[in-house]
Amino acid sequence: MLLSKACVYGLRSSLFLASCKGDGYTSIREMSDQLDISFHFLTKILQELTGAGLMESHKGPKGGVRLTKAGSEVSLYEIVAAIDGTELFTECALGLPGCGVKKPCPLHDKWAGTRDGIRQMLEDTNLLELAEKGKKQNLRITEDGGFEWI
Amino acid sequence: MLLSKACVYGLRSSLFLASCKGDGYTSIREMSDQLDISFHFLTKILQELTGAGLMESHKGPKGGVRLTKAGSEVSLYEIVAAIDGTELFTECALGLPGCGVKKPCPLHDKWAGTRDGIRQMLEDTNLLELAEKGKKQNLRITEDGGFEWI
DNA sequence: AGGGTTTAAGAGTATTTTGTCTTAATTTAA
DNA sequence: TTAAATTAAGACAAAATACTCTTAAACCCT
């Protein structure tokens, strides 16, 4: 699996927030309902994202979380890095520590290119772009397709 | 992590076999020693590869495992598919089941290209090519670099 | 034939990931 | 000021992954 489940859930919920109108907070309960993700698990994931500065949270009624930046300014890479870390984009395909230009494994050259391709794709893609595409083409971001773009 | 540890170990040991001269069997004990991988864990991984038809095994003295095909005929993709399965090459980046051309997620188009890039890199690379490169440039395939190309 | 060597198979353990539950702290609004 | 709503935090449980160990089966050699 390329990304952990926590990371995938983090991406889906970030996408959800990017599609929300206005700059108010969205409650985690609503997100967990709409996206069909365990409330408590999602809470922990979003805590990581707020810890990383990508979201900010607010307690109490009318509380919830929201993006700290405009969706157009948040790349998927930032979210992945915040949850799964950057190891995927630096590690050796054969799992050898310290593999790099100086001390490569036989697969290093080829894998480095592929790896950069993954990173660039994530860096090149922002939340707003995906939210607008999803809204325009009515694409799903949940398993059952129950989510309606806002 | 892109590949499981079992898969990474499977790749390293396949690479080891591809670098072995002659067509005799190589004992799993020797491989686990040379590659610094737990003997019993490696045994189970190689059983998967023999089950998939990529290797064949032989018991008793002079026993061990060997590739069923020439190293030049074995792509990394075959090994990864045998151990980790092909899910990585078919799954949705957002984890949505059934995501594809017909029922895509907002990230599908971009991810499909990236995903194919990973697959093609693995399909395009064979064991002999890596073994020769490793031998020629004296590259490591173990953490401590203790392995000497045969 | 018999003993040593090697893979096969499966049970058992440890660690990480995933998910659940409870309690505390904060905030809004009546 | 009090009650309801909401996130924060941490303990706990379940599942998947990563190993470890033991016993069985097959094989070679003397």
Side-chain angles (χ1 to χ4, degrees):
Chain A
M1 186 164 28
L2 186 82
L3 305 174
S4 72
K5 279 210 157 190
C7 189
V8 163
Y9 292 162
L11 287 172
R12 290 191 207 164
S13 44
S14 300
L15 199 43
F16 182 101
L17 286 182
S19 83
C20 290
K21 290 194 184 86
D23 57 356
Y25 293 100
T26 303
S27 83
I28 302 179
R29 177 66 69 183
E30 185 191 341
M31 298 177 68
S32 79
D33 284 347
Q34 292 262 2
L35 299 177
D36 201 31
I37 299 172
S38 148
F39 170 72
H40 289 101
F41 192 32
L42 184 57
T43 297
K44 292 218 293 198
I45 295 164
L46 297 185
Q47 274 172 31
E48 288 189 70
L49 292 177
T50 56
L54 291 169
M55 295 181 183
E56 52 194 354
S57 67
H58 198 71
K59 290 179 182 174
K62 306 242 173 179
V65 296
R66 68 180 176 197
L67 296 173
T68 50
K69 298 186 284 187
S72 57
E73 299 303 312
V74 184
S75 74
L76 301 189
Y77 178 83
E78 292 178 82
I79 296 160
V80 170
I83 297 176
D84 277 352
T86 57
E87 200 190 353
L88 173 63
F89 313 108
T90 59
E91 78 185 350
C92 169
L94 296 181
L96 302 178
C99 178
V101 180
K102 281 188 177 176
K103 213 167 63 172
C105 77
L107 191 53
H108 175 76
D109 295 346
K110 284 192 171 190
W111 169 237
T114 307
R115 205 175 57 182
D116 287 349
I118 302 173
R119 186 177 46 71
Q120 277 175 27
M121 186 274 285
L122 294 173
E123 279 178 345
D124 286 354
T125 309
N126 67 65
L127 292 178
L128 180 64
E129 160 190 353
L130 288 187
E132 285 184 338
K133 175 167 182 160
K135 207 174 301 190
K136 196 172 300 177
Q137 304 179 24
N138 194 34
L139 306 178
R140 67 184 177 144
I141 61 172
T142 64
E143 298 199 1
D144 57 14
F147 171 72
E148 299 284 331
W149 293 90
I150 304 160
Chain B
M1 184 165 30
L2 187 81
L3 305 174
S4 71
K5 280 213 157 189
C7 188
V8 163
Y9 292 162
L11 286 171
R12 290 191 206 165
S13 44
S14 299
L15 198 44
F16 182 101
L17 286 180
S19 84
C20 288
K21 290 194 186 83
D23 56 356
Y25 293 100
T26 304
S27 85
I28 301 179
R29 178 65 69 184
E30 187 190 341
M31 298 177 68
S32 80
D33 285 348
Q34 292 262 2
L35 298 177
D36 200 33
I37 300 172
S38 149
F39 169 72
H40 288 102
F41 192 31
L42 184 57
T43 297
K44 293 224 289 199
I45 295 164
L46 298 185
Q47 275 171 30
E48 289 190 69
L49 292 177
T50 57
L54 290 170
M55 296 182 182
E56 53 195 354
S57 67
H58 199 71
K59 290 178 181 174
K62 305 243 172 181
V65 295
R66 69 180 174 196
L67 295 172
T68 50
K69 298 186 284 187
S72 57
E73 300 302 311
V74 183
S75 74
L76 301 189
Y77 177 83
E78 293 178 80
I79 296 160
V80 171
I83 297 176
D84 277 352
T86 58
E87 200 190 354
L88 173 63
F89 312 108
T90 58
E91 77 185 352
C92 169
L94 296 182
L96 303 178
C99 178
V101 181
K102 282 188 179 176
K103 214 168 62 173
C105 77
L107 191 53
H108 175 77
D109 294 346
K110 285 191 170 190
W111 170 237
T114 307
R115 203 176 58 182
D116 287 350
I118 302 174
R119 186 176 47 71
Q120 277 175 26
M121 187 274 285
L122 294 173
E123 279 179 345
D124 285 353
T125 310
N126 66 66
L127 292 178
L128 180 65
E129 160 189 354
L130 288 187
E132 285 183 338
K133 175 166 181 159
K135 207 174 298 190
K136 197 173 298 177
Q137 304 180 25
N138 194 35
L139 306 178
R140 68 184 176 142
I141 61 172
T142 64
E143 298 199 1
D144 56 14
F147 171 71
E148 298 284 332
W149 293 90
I150 302 160

